[in-house]
Amino acid sequence: MTPAQTPAQPLLIVGSIAFDDLDMPTPDGIRPHRDVLGGAATYSSLAAAQLTRGGVRVVGIVGTDFPEAHLEGLRSRGIDTAGVERAQGKTFRWHGRYSSDLSSRTSLDTQLNVFADFSPKIPAAYRNSPFVLLGNIHPKLQVDVLDQVQQVQKPRLVVADTMNFWIEGEPAALAKLLARIDLLVINDEEARQLSGIQNLVRAAADIRKRGPSMLIVKRGEFGALLFDEAGTFFVPAYPLEEVLDPTGAGDSFAGGLLGYLAARGEVTPGSLRKALYFASSLGSFCVEGIGPSRLLSLTRAELAARISAFARLVDHGGELALPI
Amino acid sequence: MTPAQTPAQPLLIVGSIAFDDLDMPTPDGIRPHRDVLGGAATYSSLAAAQLTRGGVRVVGIVGTDFPEAHLEGLRSRGIDTAGVERAQGKTFRWHGRYSSDLSSRTSLDTQLNVFADFSPKIPAAYRNSPFVLLGNIHPKLQVDVLDQVQQVQKPRLVVADTMNFWIEGEPAALAKLLARIDLLVINDEEARQLSGIQNLVRAAADIRKRGPSMLIVKRGEFGALLFDEAGTFFVPAYPLEEVLDPTGAGDSFAGGLLGYLAARGEVTPGSLRKALYFASSLGSFCVEGIGPSRLLSLTRAELAARISAFARLVDHGGELALPI
């Protein structure tokens, strides 16, 4: 079987690029990690680049304090950073502290800095991207990105993330966004908040009526659910012996998803279901290191081994026939 | 493919039989359900009986207040109730109230009644059971059941459940039990408590060193993990549009698991993986009704349809090849 029926297609990723200050629990107390490369666009593009040969295009904003070496690191992995704007001022900075079991985190400080005035400008050369991932920014800006891209052509697949802040504070802008995207990727709490429905199956049906024909509900260490025209699909999270840092796992998941689809060049219920395994794999690698370190060290052989292990994790050996 | 390589084999189930008083949330407030048939052995045997043609043998204890009609209901489903002891006094009664999203419950009252002095007597005719499910009772009593059974023959598969109460209060008795069982079925909190290890993969490795070569960790609506000689396996919970009552879901899961294995008559990593889908299916039906009502109304066609839906839920369409 040759999975790549069509050549890899360009993938546009728009989102935050940041410095994260992470307070991580260890058996000996909190260990601080400072100035860690972060941001949704960073994690998503690093994950996507594992699955494509080039074609990942990033749009984001950094300050004058952002080391060129970080951008060079992205470029060395085939990520096009021509869309990363460098503005006067400081880079977006987030300071978070995780609970001892890593199941929750507290934001100690959020300095938007240059990200406060981020108004994504999509380079002309990016506007033909058939695959678009709109990271979690103001839904008005997400729509604005789509307006710029659609001046050239309608993308093959538009995927968006959002968060409780916009669901609560910008319902009208979010409604406009939902009407224009194909796939929404959110977590279970956000799905419940957005729909006002506790049950996820019914919440998903409600959200899909608002625009996106496909919905993915992420559940962290409990995997993710896809709802689309072909029905409901479930992908587990990979059971790991050690989780070091959950930061960026959801963004790596989205990047892995889009990277696989762009590499395959097709979006079908079948390719989407396979893509979810790559999404979950990239998410699982992400949490194995502090910040994006594991994504940066990841090899093709390690990824292939994880995907094989994933296949064994869910292989029930064919037909599930009633025993009587 | 004919799944039943060998004839169905008898399955012995030991555990509680109870009246449950359930306070269930509804949009209009708490709705009381009183004198609901309950208990681990009840749920497990009803689930197992869906997958076998006879051969399910129950050992438990009820009081003089327990309607013969309930036992007749079990018998009409092919469950052998000759091992159900009727003692002077009242039947075990539990009163629980669920939170509005059904994710947690509070025990308002627990009256052990005749269950307080339960000392399982395994009828001579039951002692040749090759499949044994030891429901959650004092680990000393679980060992005592094994002693009685092993006077006749060593069972093919011994499965046990336990709970935080015994993990905390009876570690020595529990250690003796663990050394004598093949498969322990507990939830994630219990696995963490028993091992003292937060990470489930490492917790599982620790627990398996204490005796059971196989461990299943249930995670409620998030599915279950199996750890055995063949590696790690994951089965999701079926995403339902409506959950009415989680009571007995874990016991139905265990009953479905054992019922499938007894019907197949073989225990291999392969049959265990398939069995987990039947376990999760029976658990999913259980929560669709108050008490065991859905298990009592369940038809073979409905079970076959649920299993098919489950297969679609996890069917990623074959090989997961890297796209590049």
Side-chain angles (χ1 to χ4, degrees), chain A residues 51 101 199 201-202 219 221-222 233-234 240-241 274 278 300 307 313 316-317 319-322 324, chain B residues 198-199 201-202 219 221-222 233-234 240-241 274 278 300 307 313 316-317 319-322 324:
Chain A
L51 299 168
D101 65 357
N199 179 280
V201 178
R202 286 187 282 140
R219 310 183 89 178
E221 63 166 322
F222 301 112
F233 182 71
F234 177 83
L240 294 168
E241 283 196 38
K274 288 195 197 311
F278 290 86
R300 180 180 159 81
I307 284 289
L313 180 72
H316 54 72
E319 197 193 349
L320 293 168
L322 291 181
I324 55 165
Chain B
Q198 175 66 24
N199 178 280
V201 179
R202 285 187 283 142
R219 310 182 88 180
E221 62 165 325
F222 301 112
F233 183 69
F234 177 83
L240 294 167
E241 282 196 38
K274 288 194 196 313
F278 289 87
R300 181 180 159 80
I307 284 289
L313 180 72
H316 54 73
E319 196 193 350
L320 293 168
L322 290 182
I324 56 165

Side-chain angles (χ1 to χ4, degrees), chain B:
Chain B
M1 179 185 134
T2 41
Q5 281 88 346
T6 49
Q9 294 184 14
L11 164 60
L12 170 63
I13 295 176
V14 182
S16 60
I17 300 174
F19 287 127
D20 290 341
D21 293 325
L22 305 171
D23 292 355
M24 306 307 302
T26 75
D28 308 318
I30 291 289
R31 184 170 165 194
H33 299 268
R34 297 293 173 256
D35 301 325
V36 178
L37 175 61
T42 306
Y43 283 101
S44 291
S45 62
L46 283 171
Q50 292 287 343
L51 300 168
T52 62
R53 286 209 180 83
V56 178
R57 301 160 165 180
V58 181
V59 169
I61 190 166
V62 298
T64 46
D65 57 347
F66 195 79
E68 190 60 28
H70 280 332
L71 296 175
E72 185 47 44
L74 298 181
R75 284 192 291 270
S76 73
R77 284 162 183 83
I79 299 165
D80 186 337
T81 64
V84 177
E85 180 184 349
R86 191 181 283 275
Q88 281 300 319
K90 289 184 175 177
T91 302
F92 179 21
R93 184 176 288 269
W94 175 71
H95 184 182
R97 175 168 295 178
Y98 281 88
S99 63
S100 60
D101 66 355
L102 299 175
S103 69
S104 65
R105 66 186 187 191
T106 311
S107 286
L108 299 179
D109 191 26
T110 302
Q111 297 173 18
L112 291 175
N113 298 329
V114 297
F115 192 62
D117 300 314
F118 182 44
S119 177
K121 288 172 264 312
I122 311 303
Y126 284 10
R127 297 189 182 185
N128 66 349
S129 303
F131 290 83
V132 177
L133 174 57
L134 303 169
N136 167 35
I137 54 178
H138 194 302
K140 273 190 185 165
L141 297 179
Q142 292 173 309
V143 166
D144 185 55
V145 169
L146 283 185
D147 285 340
Q148 295 178 57
V149 167
Q150 292 186 345
Q151 285 172 12
V152 173
Q153 68 175 28
K154 190 171 159 28
R156 173 72 191 82
L157 180 73
V158 177
V159 181
D161 184 11
T162 191
M163 69 184 296
N164 49 9
F165 185 75
W166 310 120
I167 294 171
E168 224 175 282
E170 296 288 348
L174 188 57
K176 281 183 192 162
L177 173 74
L178 291 181
R180 291 183 59 181
I181 65 173
D182 303 299
L183 168 58
L184 180 68
V185 181
I186 51 180
N187 70 33
D188 43 5
E189 278 178 44
E190 290 157 353
R192 290 183 170 119
Q193 192 184 7
L194 176 57
S195 64
I197 298 171
Q198 175 66 24
N199 178 280
L200 285 183
V201 179
R202 285 187 283 142
D206 175 89
I207 292 167
R208 289 178 62 216
K209 280 185 202 146
R210 303 178 189 203
S213 64
M214 300 170 272
L215 171 70
I216 290 173
V217 178
K218 297 177 290 181
R219 310 182 88 180
E221 62 165 325
F222 301 112
L225 284 162
L226 161 71
F227 302 88
D228 70 359
E229 56 176 304
T232 305
F233 183 69
F234 177 83
V235 63
Y238 192 76
L240 294 167
E241 282 196 38
E242 188 159 51
V243 173
L244 281 186
D245 174 14
T247 310
D251 300 313
S252 303
F253 179 97
L257 185 89
L258 271 285
Y260 180 84
L261 293 171
R264 287 281 300 266
E266 60 165 29
V267 182
T268 62
S271 68
L272 199 51
R273 280 155 176 74
K274 288 194 196 313
L276 276 164
Y277 275 85
F278 289 87
S280 196
S281 289
L282 269 306
S284 76
F285 280 115
C286 175
V287 304
E288 287 186 319
I290 299 291
S293 58
R294 190 71 186 86
L295 294 180
L296 291 165
S297 71
L298 182 60
T299 66
R300 181 180 159 80
E302 288 170 334
L303 182 56
R306 175 67 49 89
I307 284 289
S308 295
F310 240 125
R312 286 193 299 277
L313 180 72
V314 297
D315 180 9
H316 54 73
E319 196 193 350
L320 293 168
L322 290 182
I324 56 165

Side-chain angles (χ1 to χ4, degrees), chain A residues 238-302:
Chain A
Y238 192 77
L240 294 168
E241 283 196 38
E242 188 160 52
V243 173
L244 281 186
D245 174 12
T247 311
D251 300 314
S252 302
F253 179 97
L257 185 88
L258 271 284
Y260 180 83
L261 292 171
R264 286 281 300 266
E266 60 166 30
V267 183
T268 63
S271 68
L272 200 52
R273 280 155 176 74
K274 288 195 197 311
L276 275 164
Y277 275 85
F278 290 86
S280 196
S281 290
L282 269 304
S284 76
F285 280 115
C286 176
V287 304
E288 287 186 320
I290 299 292
S293 58
R294 190 70 186 87
L295 294 180
L296 291 164
S297 71
L298 182 60
T299 66
R300 180 180 159 81
E302 288 170 333

Side-chain angles (χ1 to χ4, degrees), chain A residues 26 44 50 70 114 123 133 161-162 164 170 180 202 218 224:
Chain A
T26 76
S44 292
Q50 293 286 345
H70 280 332
V114 297
L133 174 56
D161 183 12
T162 191
N164 49 8
E170 296 287 348
R180 291 183 59 181
R202 286 187 282 140
K218 296 176 292 182

Side-chain angles (χ1 to χ4, degrees), chain A residues 19-25 30-39 43 93-98 105-106 108 244-248 289-293:
Chain A
F19 286 128
D20 290 341
D21 293 325
L22 305 171
D23 292 355
M24 306 308 303
I30 292 288
R31 182 168 166 197
H33 299 267
R34 297 293 173 256
D35 301 325
V36 178
L37 175 61
Y43 283 101
R93 183 177 289 268
W94 175 72
H95 184 182
R97 175 168 296 178
Y98 281 87
R105 65 186 187 191
T106 310
L108 299 179
L244 281 186
D245 174 12
T247 311
I290 299 292
S293 58

